[in-house]
């Protein structure tokens, strides 16, 4: 049976699907002026189109789908999308990345629909610092939602924090204290240069490898990487229930373990977060009879995937900011 494998032998069981580009936060590293609607942007994929897309990917070996944005909870039909994803044969894990603002009100419904994995963006555990970075003073509310998610027994609950020199690089003690008694994985993400953040990147870029050195000094040990895991290098410590993951896109071997593909909210396939080409899939998502054509297109395009990104050379591709494709 045909499968999602590229010319370098990498397999792709993991799809990141943006369901909406809009976001209601004003994070300094992504959308400091807030989301600006683009009149030329096509409407996001509908539920039927998403079902056909996920079915096509699953028939080729995709087993994990992550719903991203922008902020996916801005879709009023997000619960329906989760339910559709959970009903696709072959899909084993349905994950969601969110800023968490609607978690207290919606997490029970999302869990009942089939959500199994949750990532919440929390860039600081100090309330004032969180508000400074995100533009919203909602940290206590979001933390309540995370506690509710833990109580519901999801397979994994993770926190995402972008490493920012001078803004949250002093937050590690607070994060470690939070992890001591909670079965949460905290993902520190190295700030990436995008099409519109060069000056910010130069001011606040903090090398993830420096944090890894500090963790190892404190007794944290690197764990083996699961086959369908994301790009994080995960560390554990015997004194903590939680774990720490490091996502270091500037590390030498970052792309060697790439196992994920991306589709934008309007249905463009992106072979790389920082690629220069978007392949429109939407024309192949209009009828169930197009399934074979869709799968053939996916296999053909995967043969064009490059070995690595061009971030080291300042090549950010089509990505103006991470909200445009969900990171």
């Amino acid at each position: 049976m045909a499968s999602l494998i590229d010319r370098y032998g990498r397999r792709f069981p993991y799809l990141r699907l943006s369901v909406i580009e809009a976001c209601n936060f004003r994070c300094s590293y992504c959308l400091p002026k807030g989301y600006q609607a683009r009149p030329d942007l096509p409407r996001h994929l509908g539920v039927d189109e998403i079902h056909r897309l996920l079915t096509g990917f699953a028939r080729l070996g995709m087993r994990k789908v992550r719903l991203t944005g922008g902020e996916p909870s801005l879709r009023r039909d997000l619960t329906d999308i989760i339910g559709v994803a959970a009903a696709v044969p072959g899909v084993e894990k349905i994950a969601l990345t969110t800023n968490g603002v609607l978690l207290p009100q919606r997490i029970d419904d999302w869990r009942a629909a089939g959500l199994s994995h949750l990532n919440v963006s929390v860039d600081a555990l100090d309330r004032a610092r969180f508000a400074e970075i995100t533009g919203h003073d909602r940290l206590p509310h979001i933390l309540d939602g995370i506690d509710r998610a833990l109580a519901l027994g999801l397979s994994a609950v993770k926190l995402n924090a972008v490493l920012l020199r001078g803004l949250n690089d002093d937050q590690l003690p607070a994060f470690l204290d939070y992890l001591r008694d909670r079965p949460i994985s905290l993902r520190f993400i190295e700030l990436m240069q995008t099409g519109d953040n060069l000056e910010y990147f130069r001011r606040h870029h903090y090398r993830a490898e420096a944090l890894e050195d500090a963790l190892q000094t404190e007794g944290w040990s690197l764990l083996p990487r699961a086959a369908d895991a994301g790009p994080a290098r995960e560390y554990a410590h015997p004194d903590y229930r939680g774990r720490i993951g490091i996502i270091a896109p500037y590390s030498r071997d970052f792309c060697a373990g790439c196992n994920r593909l991306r589709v934008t909210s309007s249905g463009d396939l992106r072979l790389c977060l920082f690629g220069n080409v978007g392949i429109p899939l939407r024309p192949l998502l209009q009828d169930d009879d197009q399934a074979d054509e869709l799968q053939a297109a996916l296999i053909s395009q995967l043969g064009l995937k490059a070995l690595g990104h061009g971030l080291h050379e300042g090549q950010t591709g089509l990505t103006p900011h991470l909200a445009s494709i969900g990171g």
Side-chain angles (χ1 to χ4, degrees):
M1 184 181 72
S3 61
L4 294 169
I5 182 169
D6 71 3
R7 53 184 165 159
Y8 304 105
R10 297 175 296 189
R11 294 184 179 274
F12 297 87
Y14 178 9
L15 174 67
R16 297 179 63 101
L17 172 63
S18 174
V19 296
I20 192 169
E21 187 176 274
C23 185
N24 52 356
F25 268 26
R26 301 189 304 273
C27 295
S28 60
Y29 53 83
C30 186
L31 293 172
K33 297 180 181 179
Y35 175 72
Q36 307 295 318
R38 295 189 295 163
D40 61 325
L41 185 70
R43 180 171 172 77
H44 50 65
L45 295 179
V47 174
D48 289 343
E49 292 172 308
I50 289 173
H51 178 259
R52 295 183 186 111
L53 177 79
L54 297 183
T55 300
F57 270 94
R59 288 175 178 170
L60 294 174
M62 184 269 291
R63 296 293 174 258
K64 175 181 179 180
V65 58
R66 177 173 298 281
L67 304 175
T68 69
E71 172 47 45
S73 66
L74 294 180
R75 289 270 310 239
R76 295 182 178 180
D77 56 356
L78 179 59
T79 302
D80 295 334
I81 294 171
I82 293 170
V84 162
V88 172
V91 174
E92 299 167 356
K93 299 179 180 179
I94 297 101
L96 175 70
T97 296
T98 175
N99 60 28
V101 167
L102 292 181
L103 272 180
Q105 301 98 305
R106 303 289 298 280
I107 186 59
D108 287 74
D109 291 340
W110 296 339
R111 176 58 169 156
L115 186 70
S116 60
H117 293 63
L118 177 70
N119 283 45
V120 186
S121 297
V122 180
D123 292 307
L125 286 173
D126 176 86
R127 184 171 179 174
R129 196 74 59 84
F130 179 90
E132 178 184 0
I133 295 171
T134 67
H136 287 268
D137 183 15
R138 303 299 297 276
L139 180 62
H141 179 81
I142 292 167
L143 294 179
D144 286 345
I146 292 169
D147 286 340
R148 178 58 186 165
L150 288 170
L152 290 174
L154 277 77
S155 298
V157 177
K158 300 175 183 177
L159 270 57
N160 293 342
V162 177
L163 280 171
L164 301 169
R165 179 162 53 90
L167 292 176
N168 68 359
D169 52 341
D170 62 346
Q171 290 284 293
L172 184 59
F175 277 121
L176 291 180
D177 186 60
Y178 186 80
L179 293 178
R180 188 176 296 278
D181 298 315
R182 291 179 175 87
I184 283 177
S185 179
L186 169 63
R187 302 298 174 95
F188 286 111
I189 305 168
E190 186 173 1
L191 179 66
M192 292 171 271
Q193 182 185 338
T194 57
D196 63 359
N197 78 344
L198 179 58
E199 291 304 317
Y200 185 96
F201 176 80
R202 288 172 174 168
R203 288 197 309 272
H204 297 296
H205 182 230
Y206 182 98
R207 289 303 298 261
E209 291 170 347
L211 177 58
E212 288 189 86
D213 291 341
L215 290 173
Q216 291 172 1
T217 299
E218 295 297 322
W220 290 79
S221 301
L222 184 64
L223 299 173
R225 185 173 180 271
D228 69 342
R233 294 195 290 262
E234 194 163 48
Y235 290 82
H237 192 292
D239 296 336
Y240 294 83
R241 291 189 69 193
R243 295 178 175 179
I244 293 178
I246 305 294
I247 298 178
Y250 291 90
S251 64
R252 183 177 55 188
D253 59 347
F254 182 74
C255 296
C258 183
N259 66 350
R260 58 211 173 279
L261 298 171
R262 294 172 172 84
V263 173
T264 69
S265 61
S266 56
D268 284 1
L269 173 66
R270 297 284 182 86
L271 299 175
C272 175
L273 176 59
F274 296 99
N276 291 306
V277 178
I279 300 99
L281 299 178
R282 189 168 218 160
L284 303 177
L285 303 175
Q286 303 311 304
D287 192 281
D288 293 343
D289 292 338
Q290 296 175 288
D292 290 344
E293 190 178 358
L294 171 64
Q295 292 170 57
L298 294 175
I299 293 169
S300 173
Q301 292 299 326
L302 195 53
L304 303 176
K305 184 172 171 64
L307 183 59
H309 59 58
L311 283 181
H312 294 286
E313 294 77 37
Q315 299 173 13
T316 61
L318 294 175
T319 304
H321 50 74
L322 293 180
S324 68
I325 191 172

